[in-house]
Amino acid sequence: MRGYFGRKLLIYALTFVAAATIDWLIPRFMPGNPVQALLSRSHVTPEALPALQAYYNSLFGLDQPIFQQYLNFWSSLLHGDLGRSVYLSGSPVTQVIMGALPYTVALLIPAILLSWWAGNKFGAIAARRKWLDNAFLPVGYILTATPYMWLGIVIAWVLGTVFEVFPISGGYSYALEPSLTWTFIGSLASHWVMPFASLFLVGFGGWAIGMRNMIIYELDADYSRYLTSLGAPSSLVRRYAYRNALLPQVTGLALQLGVIVAGALVTEIVFAYPGIGKLLLAAVQNQDYFLLQGIFLFVIIGVLIANFLVDIAYVFVDPRTRVGMRGGPA
Amino acid sequence: MSLHITDLRVYYRTLAGDVKALDGVTFEIADGEIMGLAGESGCGKTTLGNSLVLLDGRMKHVGGTVMLDGIPLPIADFDAMRHFRYRDISIIPQYAMSALNPIRKIGKMVGELLESRGVRYGEIRPELERRLELVGLGLDVLQRYPIELSGGMKQRMVMVVSTLLDPSLLIADEITSALDVSSQKAVAQALQSFRDQKFVRSMIVVTHDVSILYQIADTLAVMYAGKLAEKAPTDVMMQRAKHPYTRMLIASLPEVGVRYAEHKLTGIAGTPPSLLNPPTGCRFRDRCPLAIEQCAEEPPFVEVEPGHSVACWRVDEVAAPKDSAA
Amino acid sequence: MTVGAVVASTESVGRRREILYFALRGRKVLISSSILIFFAVIAVAGPLIRPGDPNAFIGPLAAPPDGQYWFGTTTFGQDVFAQFASGLRATFTAGLLGGSIAALIGMAVGFVAGYRGGVIDEILNMVTNIVLVIPTLALLIVVTAYLSARGIFVEALFIGLTSWPWAARAIRAQTFSLATRDFVDLARISGVRSLRVIFSEIAPNMSSYLFLTFILLFGGAILIAASLDFIGLGPTEGTSLGLMMYNAVAWSALPLGMWWWFIPPGIGITAIVGSLYVLNVGLDEIFNPRLRES
């Protein structure tokens, strides 16, 4: 088992280094110069231009040899310094992101966990009952084919604009100040429902269909046939099929993490929910490269951590990994 | 135990029509008898073996009866058959190597299976351990996962599991096909000892490898294209087989010690007929060197001497000893 | 020619006929193909029905659908239907291009890793895992944000460069199982070079699998492109379905209830991607008879 985790950690470390390096490389290889882009937006007189250029160049360390810049990048990274946000007039990027992070996490964690669990359970039931299966299958495929942001838009429109059940923008009512009162918490909750529901539904459709397919496949496996030949009740066979089908669903979760996070980001944009997604949109629109890169690194770290957690979960689900045998994702 | 099968017909549903895999088979098995069921791929022997235990979704019972110990076996009724499975009739499947749940410890799986059939695992555990030792498996195998076992070990494990409740009739389906020769011998001998120790009363050993049957089977039945060609005690079959197909089958077996120059190994030219639309009359007609006009009418499966039945019109004329190749 | 080969070739002719039989009758295949063709027709016929720049300001502001403007107009008086038809074209293009590029890379990596094995396999595996873990959209955002002028091809290129890992893995697994088969061994012993073995022995036997993989990549590329466009990082010229949704949300179509602006693009994407998924399942049933519920 140590070998299993060792390999995983190695890959994650390499991935992080690769991602961070790409992150650092890109502005330097893209057409145009980040400093020029910065300056073109701020209104400076032509005389002040060279001085400002020199200032920004030294600020970004662009006047130093490339290798030195790379080292500087890593040293500030490891100090938690992701630079300063241009859009938010100089606030440290790390601080800005940390402010938005709780909202995104509050959406993501429940959505991932609940949709995975509920989708699996539902898929298993659908695999058993033909009428449910026939009714659900088209719905499931539609849900999983729906782009995250569009479902968010539809839900916002139906429940928000047409029926006015929930508020369609913001993290909490604009009339309130954050405080530890029931009113505020209630406002938080009511603004949370729709984005959460949107994320949950798309995920649910995908997991349910996946589980349904896996269970059908497992029910047809040799060990299922053997048990049935020996007269085992279908409840036992189904129980085994479910446990076996969970394995690829767990690995599937790791594979989907990037997609789900992306989905959360765009969903937040739809609802103007003050999470990382909204921050991302602002960064793009204002060409705030530091903020963009900071968000990128945060997302990478988050996904890597989540991947690692899923790997731990996998060890629990597949007992073969505990025996040191080759079970588990490559 | 006694098994009487009368005119059993089991077809496979396909979109092109019904494949008549088992098309009217009649025979009996006595108490304590090991019957070998041989024939080429597609002759219906696996269908016969499986239909007695579990009819899968594509198979349908079209006609004929199966009487086990005087009770009609409701093979077409999935739920009614549950009562008989494992206790009265059991199977060592063709896929024994993958028959164990990969993510369950073997002991745990056996325990859960037994409990689900109303058998207390604790009570039967000593017997289970005894049989494991009998086939040469250590007791620690119960703590292992299937992936930790070799193919031969998994085979033996499945043999023990399938016979644990002392079934009256055991179907052993191609259990030596995936093994090397020495393992084959060990498995064949294990089967025989199961019968001798009365773990199992009677057996049907399904295989395309006649040489294994020669070692352990009391009687041999040869099938061709969904029908029985011949059935006889093993030594009678090997010495005095009467059906042209059986004789060619046996003649195609290599003999130990015989060189190529002395005795040519012959195969049987041609291929079996399609079972979607089988030809009328004797199904071996097109490949049979003895075929005559009368073979356009299907020969009945008749007993020509005690315990020896053949389906061929020319059975009286075929009296020559074994080594004259037809 | 041996008996076996004759039998095999007659069987394969029969099999091809069988596939055609089911392909033309399989409900899933028929329905999903019809939907795809329907949207493709709109995409192609769009500029004929509504000539001119889809982003031109030609109509009444924020008008709901009526006889003249089938999908109504935007806040600025742009014809939503014209944008929709044009956007469909962009969506199809991005999906096809991105999916193809991802398929090519996935095949290259998957075939080589699966066939050669050994150290090459280990290295390719590591690369695949690394690219797999990186969240595609995040990477694409960072990359495209720096490009001042973006076209469809660049967008599709980057999508293709980042979405190939799962395909590579799947192809690798299939190649593994095929590589141990007799006819491949035969080719190998006869001294045929690896590349030729892959092209002439392995790939043709996986053709249905490759096609199914491509369909899924196609669908995935459409979704990623839509997300990119929605954040405003799509092509700088022209229009796309994702961009329509971006504009709709940005210009308060939601609180204003201008459903005709944001519902059609979403339906378009959902219908196309959904049809691709169902097509995938339907074709899988045809290629693998075991899955058919007869």
Side-chain angles (χ1 to χ4, degrees):
Chain A
M1 188 157 74
R2 266 214 328 244
Y4 171 72
F5 280 122
R7 277 187 68 202
K8 290 280 166 189
L9 284 173
L10 176 65
I11 296 210
Y12 295 147
L14 280 178
T15 308
F16 182 66
V17 170
T21 306
I22 293 178
D23 185 42
W24 172 84
L25 268 179
I26 293 203
R28 288 161 179 77
F29 277 84
M30 284 294 149
N33 182 323
V35 175
Q36 296 291 72
L38 251 182
L39 290 176
S40 64
R41 269 189 331 280
S42 45
H43 308 287
V44 286
T45 59
E47 301 87 39
L49 207 53
L52 265 173
Q53 249 180 328
Y55 169 67
Y56 275 124
N57 272 330
S58 76
L59 183 65
F60 296 151
L62 289 175
D63 51 350
Q64 295 180 343
I66 281 264
F67 195 65
Q68 187 64 35
Q69 293 183 39
Y70 190 54
L71 287 179
N72 291 345
F73 167 72
W74 274 107
S75 87
S76 36
L77 188 62
L78 292 170
H79 280 107
D81 175 16
L82 289 170
R84 293 180 172 273
S85 160
V86 172
Y87 153 65
L88 285 173
S89 27
S91 327
V93 168
T94 319
Q95 193 179 25
V96 171
I97 295 182
M98 291 302 250
L101 196 58
Y103 287 98
T104 304
V105 170
L107 274 188
L108 269 180
I109 306 273
I112 293 179
L113 293 177
L114 274 176
S115 68
W116 190 83
W117 178 83
N120 279 337
K121 279 270 181 279
F122 190 79
I125 300 178
R128 260 194 286 146
R129 292 174 214 271
K130 203 74 176 115
W131 62 266
L132 188 63
D133 195 33
N134 287 331
F136 165 72
L137 216 49
V139 176
Y141 274 114
I142 291 179
L143 274 180
T144 187
T146 308
Y148 277 97
M149 70 283 206
W150 190 65
L151 189 63
I153 291 177
V154 171
I155 289 182
W157 177 57
V158 171
L159 291 180
T161 310
V162 177
F163 291 114
E164 294 185 28
V165 180
F166 291 107
I168 62 168
S169 84
Y172 47 87
S173 168
Y174 292 121
L176 294 177
E177 282 292 321
S179 55
L180 219 52
T181 62
W182 282 118
T183 333
F184 181 68
I185 295 181
S187 180
L188 267 181
S190 75
H191 281 83
W192 172 88
V193 172
M194 285 203 295
F196 165 77
S198 173
L199 279 177
F200 173 81
L201 282 174
V202 179
F204 176 81
W207 295 122
I209 289 199
M211 190 52 154
R212 173 229 179 236
N213 290 336
M214 281 317 303
I215 294 230
I216 290 182
Y217 177 75
E218 294 291 332
L219 284 177
D220 206 27
D222 285 340
Y223 68 86
S224 293
R225 262 176 74 194
Y226 183 51
L227 284 176
T228 313
S229 304
L230 295 185
S234 59
S235 57
L236 182 65
V237 178
R238 269 186 274 121
R239 187 153 50 102
Y240 278 9
Y242 186 77
R243 281 292 260 100
N244 277 273
L246 271 184
L247 263 56
Q249 293 290 83
V250 173
T251 16
L253 183 59
L255 292 174
Q256 287 287 324
L257 281 170
V259 174
I260 300 177
V261 168
L265 296 183
V266 293
T267 305
E268 283 177 14
I269 294 178
V270 170
F271 290 96
Y273 200 69
I276 305 221
K278 183 150 170 269
L279 211 55
L280 178 66
L281 187 67
V284 169
Q285 286 171 337
N286 291 279
Q287 289 181 296
D288 187 348
Y289 294 129
F290 275 125
L291 190 54
L292 258 182
Q293 290 173 269
I295 293 179
F296 173 66
L297 284 175
F298 250 88
V299 170
I300 296 268
I301 294 178
V303 169
L304 287 178
I305 293 179
N307 260 292
F308 191 64
L309 289 176
V310 172
D311 290 332
I312 295 180
Y314 189 83
V315 172
F316 283 112
V317 178
D318 186 351
R320 294 173 297 182
T321 48
R322 282 175 251 152
V323 187
M325 287 295 146
R326 200 170 148 51
Chain B
M1 105 93 215
S2 66
L3 181 73
H4 295 262
I5 296 192
T6 315
D7 196 36
L8 186 59
R9 289 169 203 276
V10 175
Y11 297 173
Y12 279 93
R13 272 183 281 250
T14 69
L15 279 123
D18 285 342
V19 172
K20 300 164 182 57
L22 199 61
D23 209 1
V25 162
T26 304
F27 63 90
E28 292 171 9
I29 300 187
D31 192 26
E33 175 182 331
I34 296 184
M35 180 185 101
L37 188 54
E40 356 185 354
S41 305
C43 69
K45 56 191 195 305
T46 298
T47 310
L48 175 57
N50 278 317
S51 66
L52 293 177
V53 178
L54 177 64
L55 275 182
D56 71 42
R58 296 164 302 156
M59 291 157 69
K60 60 179 183 182
H61 177 209
V62 177
T65 58
V66 178
M67 303 280 280
L68 181 66
D69 293 332
I71 310 175
L73 210 58
I75 59 175
D77 187 342
F78 179 85
D79 293 313
M81 274 299 287
R82 259 206 77 212
H83 171 79
F84 296 92
R85 290 184 186 124
Y86 206 9
R87 296 178 184 281
D88 302 304
I89 178 163
S90 187
I91 185 168
I92 303 175
Q94 197 168 4
Y95 49 84
M97 305 271 190
S98 46
L100 300 169
N101 188 350
I103 64 167
R104 215 71 170 161
K105 279 193 186 152
I106 294 179
K108 197 128 188 285
M109 179 215 113
V110 174
E112 286 171 342
L113 171 63
L114 289 170
E115 300 279 347
S116 80
R117 301 283 355 238
V119 176
R120 301 278 302 278
Y121 183 48
E123 288 171 9
I124 206 171
R125 180 81 185 250
E127 181 61 27
L128 170 65
E129 293 180 355
R130 210 189 106 209
R131 301 201 183 181
L132 284 176
E133 287 182 14
L134 225 62
V135 295
L137 287 172
L139 294 187
D140 61 326
V141 80
L142 291 176
Q143 301 308 319
R144 304 228 171 280
Y145 291 97
I147 197 174
E148 304 178 65
L149 267 52
S150 73
M153 291 168 81
K154 282 188 276 195
Q155 182 88 9
R156 279 176 280 157
M157 188 68 226
V158 172
M159 283 172 70
V160 169
V161 172
S162 290
T163 53
L164 197 52
L165 295 189
D166 295 344
S168 296
L169 177 65
L170 175 71
I171 319 261
D173 194 357
E174 301 278 12
I175 62 177
T176 55
S177 308
L179 301 174
D180 60 277
V181 181
S182 47
S183 302
Q184 285 183 2
K185 192 172 172 83
V187 165
Q189 283 177 337
L191 269 190
Q192 222 172 7
S193 71
F194 278 8
R195 188 270 313 262
D196 296 338
Q197 305 218 28
K198 301 242 191 302
F199 297 160
V200 176
R201 300 199 72 88
S202 306
M203 270 191 237
I204 300 181
V205 181
V206 180
T207 178
H208 56 260
D209 183 359
V210 184
S211 47
I212 284 290
L213 298 180
Y214 183 50
Q215 296 172 42
I216 61 168
D218 301 321
T219 54
L220 270 185
V222 172
M223 281 186 71
Y224 184 78
K227 292 192 178 290
L228 268 179
E230 185 164 6
K231 178 175 188 277
T234 310
D235 46 356
V236 169
M237 191 73 113
M238 301 307 273
Q239 308 289 333
R240 300 196 302 273
K242 295 203 189 277
H243 195 285
Y245 176 65
T246 319
R247 295 167 61 84
M248 292 166 85
L249 205 58
I250 294 174
S252 66
L253 288 175
E255 243 180 289
V256 176
V258 174
R259 292 209 148 81
Y260 177 69
E262 297 168 19
H263 199 151
K264 263 207 193 146
L265 211 56
T266 49
I268 310 179
T271 52
S274 152
L275 292 177
L276 204 55
N277 283 313
T280 50
C282 175
R283 296 189 175 177
F284 189 55
R285 204 166 24 129
D286 296 331
R287 298 165 84 185
C288 183
L290 299 183
I292 52 177
E293 263 197 49
Q294 194 181 13
C295 299
E297 187 188 327
E298 190 176 323
F301 189 65
V302 289
E303 193 167 25
V304 295
E305 55 180 1
H308 187 172
S309 307
V310 190
C312 179
W313 293 118
R314 305 191 65 181
V315 65
D316 299 317
E317 309 163 42
V318 182
K322 174 187 121 190
D323 60 356
S324 113
Chain C
M1 205 147 75
T2 67
V3 175
V6 170
V7 171
S9 63
T10 22
E11 273 172 7
S12 72
V13 165
R15 183 161 155 69
R16 254 178 267 141
R17 235 181 264 137
E18 184 187 340
I19 289 182
L20 211 57
Y21 172 89
F22 281 109
L24 296 176
R25 271 160 196 70
R27 241 184 14 178
K28 296 194 177 87
V29 174
L30 280 179
I31 295 181
S32 53
S33 315
S34 315
I35 296 181
L36 286 171
I37 293 177
F38 171 69
F39 281 104
V41 164
I42 295 185
V44 169
L48 302 172
I49 307 176
R50 288 270 182 275
D53 180 11
N55 288 329
F57 309 113
I58 52 167
L61 304 182
D66 58 29
Q68 192 186 11
Y69 297 108
W70 296 340
F71 283 5
T73 63
T74 70
T75 321
F76 306 106
Q78 298 156 311
D79 184 355
V80 175
F81 180 76
Q83 288 189 329
F84 180 70
S86 172
L88 272 180
R89 232 173 315 135
T91 300
F92 270 117
T93 313
L96 270 175
L97 270 181
S100 307
I101 295 177
L104 283 174
I105 303 180
M107 281 197 278
V109 173
F111 279 141
V112 173
Y115 184 70
R116 294 301 225 91
V119 171
I120 297 186
D121 182 27
E122 287 286 328
I123 298 177
L124 285 176
N125 244 1
M126 189 143 290
V127 171
T128 308
N129 281 331
I130 291 180
V131 180
L132 188 63
V133 173
I134 298 181
T136 317
L137 196 69
L139 185 63
L140 283 175
I141 289 171
V142 169
V143 167
T144 51
Y146 284 103
L147 299 172
S148 46
R150 298 178 293 268
I152 282 211
F153 181 68
V154 174
E155 185 184 44
L157 175 67
F158 281 117
I159 292 179
L161 283 175
T162 50
S163 46
W164 56 266
W166 74 263
R169 267 226 207 143
I171 294 179
R172 168 183 175 269
Q174 275 291 94
T175 310
F176 255 154
S177 66
L178 273 183
T180 54
R181 295 265 288 274
D182 298 333
F183 63 91
V184 175
D185 278 338
L186 191 60
R188 221 195 303 234
I189 312 175
S190 332
V192 182
R193 286 179 49 230
S194 302
L195 212 61
R196 272 209 65 200
V197 174
I198 293 178
F199 275 118
S200 58
E201 305 286 347
I202 296 187
N205 276 287
M206 279 176 60
S207 52
S208 52
Y209 192 76
L210 292 174
F211 186 62
L212 292 179
T213 307
F214 171 71
I215 291 182
L216 289 179
L217 284 173
F218 184 0
I222 292 182
L223 284 177
I224 300 178
S227 296
L228 262 186
D229 298 344
F230 185 71
I231 307 183
L233 288 174
T236 37
E237 297 291 322
T239 183
S240 73
L241 299 181
L243 192 59
M244 285 176 73
M245 287 193 269
Y246 168 74
N247 284 323
V249 171
W251 299 106
S252 308
L254 267 176
L256 291 177
M258 293 172 62
W259 57 270
W260 54 89
W261 197 359
F262 51 77
I263 295 288
I267 290 188
I269 296 181
T270 307
I272 293 178
V273 175
S275 303
L276 285 172
Y277 286 166
V278 172
L279 181 65
N280 176 58
V281 172
L283 285 177
D284 203 10
E285 280 174 7
I286 291 174
F287 293 140
N288 297 320
R290 275 190 64 195
L291 293 172
R292 285 182 219 146
E293 302 142 296
S294 46

